[in-house]
Amino acid sequence: MSRKDAHAFAASLAATLMVSIVVFQAGDGTFGAVPADEIDGDEVQVLAEYDPFAIMAR
């Protein structure tokens, strides 16, 4: 997915699931979004983290 889509998907997932979601770029250049507790750091670069509780506090 594109970087823009990954960020939109992450924000939506965080608000829906009420868990922190990480946007990452894999070693092959692709982007993705997963729950923060599932990221293991192998060959990924973390770009952003969406915390639903911080978003709600704004």
Side-chain angles (χ1 to χ4, degrees), residues 7-39:
H7 281 275
F9 182 59
S12 176
L13 273 179
T16 301
L17 300 176
M18 296 305 291
V19 297
S20 292
I21 303 293
V22 171
V23 176
F24 66 91
Q25 183 175 15
D28 63 358
T30 59
F31 297 95
V34 295
D37 61 352
E38 291 184 19
I39 200 87

